[in-house]
Amino acid sequence: MANNQQSPAWGVFWMVVTGLCFVAVTALVKSLGQRIPAAESAFLRYVLGLVFLLPMAKSLAQARLTPRMWRLFSLRAVFHTCGVALWFFAMTRIPIAEVTAMNYINPVYVTVLAVIFLGERLALRRVMAIVAALIGALMILRPGFRELDPGHFAMLGTALLFAVSYILAKILSGEVSAAVVVALLSVGVTIGLAPLAIAVWVWPTWWELLVLLGVAFFATAGHYTMTLAFAAAPMTVTQPVTFLQLIWAVSLGAIVFGEPVDPWVIAGGSVIMAAVIFITWREAVLKRRITPLVPETKI
């Protein structure tokens, strides 16, 4: 069985499961509507999600963090808190397919930030991939040809904020365990969202709490299955599978939420995903690991 799990087939399988989990996250958040403010929904998601971090409690208690690490963890929590709040806001404003497609921009942001903060070289091929991704984003947004919703700008900000968070995680992951990185992010975001949630608090119903518990469960499960995919196959195998999320999001939006299928969103998302796959492939050839897989950007 262990030999079977160390194979591209298992990697693809676990990445498919990961994609389904994250599409479930977006669908559940979308189903909440706008009655519960975005900041409160995000806060409740993280509060309820803390129960899934109990296995990490021992690692967190044993961690010996320097003042510099605390500053980096705090800074990451601030960026990620703002990104999560914007993501929940965008989910209530624009179609699921557009949220999913625009989320593909995140690894491109990471590539650019890696040049600035990690000293990465920006070769011509990567520049061309970044330009292609930006063209894909313009195809989705089509400024000047339609009225843009605040949710579109929120998603652009979300992708950038999550990219900064990822870069900080890359720095910290070389100094502390992954369990500590994940646990402190969850705790930090919960604390960061608390005052925002209190300021706009609306008492949720039991059903809304159950939906948010489902969000926390599927987000946690998605990150776990994504880890299994990483262990089973190289990212050049699993990265293209993430494109299925856009297909599922388009289908779900049309069937469940009555959202029209926009061919420009599909085309733009395809262009961005192709650029991300190319960047990923180049980094694999050069035996580096900077650009995250698309699901890594999820909450």
Side-chain angles (χ1 to χ4, degrees):
M1 184 66 177
N3 291 334
N4 290 336
Q5 290 180 334
Q6 299 297 318
S7 69
W10 277 104
V12 170
F13 170 77
W14 286 121
M15 191 54 71
V16 168
V17 175
T18 298
L20 290 172
C21 286
F22 285 127
V23 169
V25 168
T26 56
L28 288 172
V29 173
K30 185 76 172 179
S31 70
L32 284 174
Q34 300 184 33
R35 196 188 82 84
I36 302 296
E40 181 184 344
S41 295
F43 170 71
L44 290 172
R45 170 264 183 267
Y46 271 88
V47 167
L48 295 171
L50 290 177
V51 67
F52 299 110
L53 298 178
L54 291 178
M56 304 178 187
K58 184 177 180 180
S59 297
L60 191 59
Q62 294 175 343
R64 295 295 179 264
L65 304 179
T66 65
R68 171 185 166 277
M69 291 179 186
W70 278 115
R71 287 194 296 270
L72 290 177
F73 275 119
S74 300
L75 186 62
R76 188 188 182 209
V78 170
F79 279 102
H80 210 88
T81 295
C82 296
V84 167
L86 288 177
W87 187 87
F88 271 80
F89 173 77
M91 277 302 309
T92 64
R93 303 282 309 193
I94 61 178
I96 292 176
E98 295 192 28
V99 170
T100 303
M102 293 181 69
N103 185 63
Y104 290 163
I105 303 173
N106 182 280
V108 179
Y109 280 147
V110 172
T111 300
V112 175
L113 292 175
V115 174
I116 299 172
F117 296 107
L118 302 182
E120 283 290 305
R121 290 181 59 252
L122 196 59
L124 179 60
R125 292 184 183 89
R126 296 174 78 184
V127 172
M128 293 173 63
I130 292 170
V131 171
L134 294 177
I135 292 173
L138 289 175
M139 292 171 65
I140 296 171
L141 295 173
R142 303 191 299 286
F145 294 91
R146 67 166 178 168
E147 183 179 358
L148 295 180
D149 188 272
H152 292 114
F153 297 104
M155 267 313 294
L156 289 173
T158 295
L160 179 58
L161 290 165
F162 281 171
V164 176
S165 174
Y166 182 84
I167 290 294
L168 291 170
K170 290 294 292 184
I171 296 172
L172 289 164
S173 63
E175 304 176 25
V176 295
S177 68
V180 173
V181 173
V182 172
L184 282 180
L185 175 66
S186 297
V187 173
V189 172
T190 302
I191 295 172
L193 286 170
L196 301 178
I198 292 172
V200 293
W201 189 264
V202 174
W203 284 106
T205 64
W206 286 109
W207 172 251
E208 288 166 335
L209 285 174
L210 184 62
V211 170
L212 287 167
L213 181 62
V215 172
F217 169 78
F218 281 111
T220 304
H223 283 287
Y224 177 72
T225 55
M226 182 173 61
T227 302
L228 295 178
F230 292 166
M235 58 185 174
T236 49
V237 172
T238 56
Q239 181 75 289
V241 182
T242 60
F243 182 71
L244 290 174
Q245 288 186 46
L246 180 58
I247 298 175
W248 293 328
V250 170
S251 303
L252 187 68
I255 297 171
V256 178
F257 298 100
E259 298 171 347
V261 177
D262 189 339
W264 285 102
V265 173
I266 299 174
S270 302
V271 171
I272 296 171
M273 192 69 237
V276 171
I277 292 172
F278 176 78
I279 294 173
T280 303
W281 172 75
R282 283 298 302 167
E283 290 181 356
V285 170
L286 298 174
K287 302 195 185 304
R288 292 183 305 206
R289 179 71 170 89
I290 297 298
T291 304
L293 295 178
V294 170
E296 286 186 341
T297 66
K298 294 287 188 179
I299 61 170

